[in-house]
Amino acid sequence: MNFVSTRNDKEVVTASQGILKGLAENSGLYVPEKIPALDVSMDKLSKMSYQDVAYEVMKLYFTDFTEEELRNCINNAYDDKFDTKEIAPLVSCDKAYFLELFHGATIAFKDMALSILPHLMITSARKNNVSNDIVILTATSGDTGKAALAGFAGVDGTKIVVFYPNGGVSRIQELQMITTKGDNTKVVAIDGNFDEAQTGVKKMFTDADLAKRIGEKGYQFSSANSINIGRLVPQIAYYVYSYAKLVDNSEISNGDLINVCVPTGNFGNILAAYYAKNMGVPIAKLICASNENKVLYDFFKTGTYDKNRDFKLTNSPSMDILISSNLERLIHMCAGRDAKKNSELMNQLTTTGKYDITDDMKAKLDDFYGDFATQEETGKTIRDLYDKTGYIIDTHTAVAKCVYDKYVAATGDTTKTVIASTASPFKFTRSVMTAIDPKYDSWDDFDLVDELSKLGNVPIPNAIKEIRDANILHDNKCSVSGMEEAVTSFLK
């Protein structure tokens, strides 16, 4: 299995080369030459551990890894860093199944892929005889940053720089990042939003002069953002696993269709579900849930992607995104894998802030349903679900649950549905607790943590305990134009 660039079908790399590079030339993204079919039956998968299911998925993409190398990466990633042996448990609640993807070290779904990425990257470097230190550049809307820092902190042969929008993440998210230990880590708040941070990182990746300068110092850039295939492929595994567990639990029979609902910002998580569907998992509808930055909802409704709109800060900050980078991979597929056509559309996005797909391309999006939830609807969903069941979800999962309820009301489709629960409510305690009762708005952040644990009858995660009294180790700020200087000064 090789990978090709979405913007140049002549640029072909192995899995390990794609993992190391992160971003293709001309800002293209790597996609598999074809989406492989699962070669193990669902009945067999249903009896496997998460680690074994992950291997059966990843072996089909990462074909230049030996079985020993790949299993070693998987076993080092999905170990006791997760607080449950299931890794990604399914919780049945209110006529849906919540796939809890937040049991890792930083209590968000990004752990599912970022726990394995450092191991994939170091193995890839050895395979390709890379002697340079790898410098991870990452822009985060809240969760990727800490998950990447947790994965790479202290890893020999790597350095990591994380940029996040100042004031654009929750206090818990910020504390998780700025208390990170490790001499190879740097965290920087920028005076801008996530899209500007992401654009700044992409600009550095495609700067040939900068690459030459840092290369002379023994460094090379790579990415831990969801644009890296080393992030995307591991995410496919949990959708395969969730279907297998529904079969194993006799919730469905093998072959029954399910729907999947995903709160979506950068489009990587729902794209992984789309890949799982194309590998043979019986998924019917992919329900794309947006917050008030509803650029994806408008796209699925009209066929026009238009980022020319006001950027809104919401109570689901990890979805406060107007440039959904991973959508490019879907557009490339809908264009018949025509790199030239895809490049034209992406260039339009860069120059005009929008593009229109053809009617033929739009017809290929029938697998998707899009809708959005307002901040008020998000809060009401948290409160109503808690009042009804006692189960507490975070704001991003609430966006998905709200949109799922809208989907059922609009279509009458009661197909069993897996909702991707992308973060622990402890990561967004203030928004969650004030949704349950406005009185909590005046409370201290960590008093809210204690109250949430009591109300939900769930233990406080280690990720929260660790930052409670931790020292702030990163107090760096810069403008968008100062991002390059922040990186080069760190690398001396």
Side-chain angles (χ1 to χ4, degrees):
M1 172 72 75
N2 286 321
F3 291 77
V4 298
S5 168
T6 54
R7 303 194 189 185
N8 178 5
D9 53 20
K10 303 267 189 310
E11 186 184 349
V12 181
V13 296
T14 64
S16 60
Q17 289 168 340
I19 289 167
L20 278 176
K21 285 191 75 173
L23 192 66
E25 304 296 327
N26 300 318
S27 296
L29 307 185
Y30 291 119
V31 292
E33 289 179 315
K34 63 182 186 300
I35 297 180
L38 288 166
D39 60 1
V40 177
S41 73
M42 193 58 70
D43 287 327
K44 283 186 178 177
L45 289 166
S46 71
K47 302 302 178 187
M48 289 183 184
S49 67
Y50 187 88
Q51 292 84 347
D52 287 337
V53 170
Y55 173 74
E56 295 299 337
V57 171
M58 291 188 219
K59 74 175 187 185
L60 301 172
Y61 292 91
F62 299 154
T63 55
D64 61 335
F65 285 68
T66 66
E67 178 173 352
E68 181 184 7
E69 286 171 336
L70 191 49
R71 285 195 181 276
N72 185 54
C73 290
I74 289 168
N75 291 335
N76 281 325
Y78 305 115
D79 56 10
D80 58 10
K81 290 190 292 293
F82 288 79
D83 63 19
T84 169
K85 284 187 177 180
E86 292 173 273
I87 306 299
L90 270 173
V91 174
S92 176
C93 181
D94 197 32
K95 301 178 183 176
Y97 300 90
F98 290 84
L99 178 62
E100 293 188 342
L101 299 173
F102 53 75
H103 288 274
T106 73
I107 56 177
F109 84 98
K110 307 295 175 74
D111 290 322
M112 301 299 295
L114 281 163
S115 293
I116 193 170
L117 183 62
H119 303 289
L120 293 172
M121 205 165 269
I122 295 301
T123 305
S124 295
R126 287 199 297 264
K127 279 182 172 302
N128 291 277
N129 300 311
V130 170
S131 57
N132 286 341
D133 278 6
I134 296 164
V135 180
I136 304 298
L137 291 187
T138 293
T140 184
S141 55
D143 288 336
T144 287
K146 178 55 185 179
L149 288 162
F152 284 94
V155 174
D156 288 340
T158 70
K159 291 184 182 294
I160 178 167
V161 184
V162 171
F163 295 97
Y164 72 95
N166 193 17
V169 301
S170 79
R171 182 56 178 162
I172 296 291
Q173 285 177 310
E174 184 173 47
L175 283 170
Q176 283 188 298
M177 289 189 282
I178 63 179
T179 58
T180 299
K181 297 175 182 177
D183 292 339
N184 67 330
T185 66
K186 181 168 184 172
V187 181
V188 185
I190 70 157
D191 293 327
N193 61 40
F194 169 74
D195 289 331
E196 290 170 314
Q198 183 166 251
T199 299
V201 165
K202 277 190 171 183
K203 183 179 175 185
M204 283 186 274
F205 269 116
T206 54
D207 186 331
D209 177 63
L210 179 59
K212 182 173 181 287
R213 281 189 285 132
I214 69 162
E216 290 169 352
K217 299 291 185 182
Y219 299 113
Q220 68 185 62
F221 287 141
S222 192
S223 166
N225 277 74
S226 59
I227 54 175
N228 194 312
I229 57 163
R231 279 274 308 272
L232 177 62
V233 170
Q235 290 179 277
I236 302 168
Y238 49 73
Y239 293 109
V240 178
Y241 179 76
S242 64
Y243 188 92
K245 286 298 111 182
L246 287 173
V247 171
D248 188 43
N249 296 338
S250 300
E251 299 285 352
I252 58 173
S253 298
N254 187 6
D256 288 352
L257 288 169
I258 66 166
N259 293 332
V260 172
C261 182
V262 186
T264 310
N266 221 8
F267 205 75
N269 202 359
I270 196 165
L271 182 72
Y274 179 72
Y275 275 37
K277 174 184 171 80
N278 282 273
M279 291 180 75
V281 178
I283 295 171
K285 277 292 181 187
L286 295 153
I287 302 168
C288 180
S290 300
N291 66 14
E292 289 175 17
N293 292 293
K294 56 187 181 67
V295 64
L296 287 166
Y297 163 69
D298 292 336
F299 169 71
F300 284 117
K301 188 177 179 183
T302 66
T304 298
Y305 192 97
D306 187 354
K307 74 178 184 70
N308 300 313
R309 61 186 70 202
D310 290 337
F311 182 90
K312 297 185 178 180
L313 291 173
T314 74
N315 54 9
S316 48
S318 298
M319 296 161 64
D320 290 346
I321 293 171
L322 294 179
I323 304 174
S324 301
S325 293
N326 275 288
L327 184 65
E328 178 172 346
R329 288 183 162 114
L330 180 64
I331 297 301
H332 179 259
M333 286 185 72
C334 292
R337 294 180 171 270
D338 184 335
K340 184 180 177 185
K341 175 64 176 173
N342 178 72
S343 290
E344 288 172 359
L345 294 171
M346 296 306 126
N347 287 335
Q348 286 175 31
L349 182 64
T350 300
T351 55
T352 70
K354 63 184 289 190
Y355 61 79
D356 297 287
I357 62 172
T358 64
D359 289 342
D360 183 53
M361 291 171 68
K362 191 177 178 187
K364 295 176 182 175
L365 299 176
D366 282 349
D367 290 335
F368 292 89
Y369 168 93
D371 211 329
F372 72 99
T374 65
Q375 293 195 75
E376 290 73 23
E377 289 172 327
T378 301
K380 184 175 186 302
T381 300
I382 292 170
R383 182 172 62 255
D384 289 352
L385 189 66
Y386 171 70
D387 288 344
K388 188 175 182 181
T389 68
Y391 187 58
I392 301 177
I393 55 176
D394 90 294
T395 47
H396 303 76
T397 307
V399 168
K401 175 64 164 69
C402 179
V403 167
Y404 168 63
D405 290 341
K406 288 183 178 183
Y407 169 78
V408 173
T411 65
D413 181 6
T414 56
T415 299
K416 290 187 175 177
T417 297
V418 170
I419 296 175
S421 186
T422 52
S424 164
F426 285 97
K427 202 145 196 171
F428 303 94
T429 45
R430 185 163 302 281
S431 294
V432 169
M433 293 301 287
T434 53
I436 291 171
D437 191 327
K439 74 179 183 183
Y440 292 119
D441 195 31
S442 61
W443 287 35
D444 172 80
D445 282 305
F446 288 103
D447 288 340
L448 290 174
V449 165
D450 294 332
E451 185 74 357
L452 173 56
S453 174
K454 188 169 122 187
L455 282 187
N457 195 28
V458 286
I460 298 169
N462 286 333
I464 301 297
K465 291 178 183 175
E466 288 169 0
I467 63 170
R468 198 157 198 159
D469 300 307
N471 294 322
I472 291 173
L473 302 176
H474 303 269
D475 186 21
N476 307 300
K477 294 181 174 60
C478 76
S479 63
V480 174
S481 62
M483 290 172 67
E484 182 180 317
E485 167 62 23
V487 172
T488 55
S489 65
F490 178 54
L491 300 180
K492 299 182 174 64

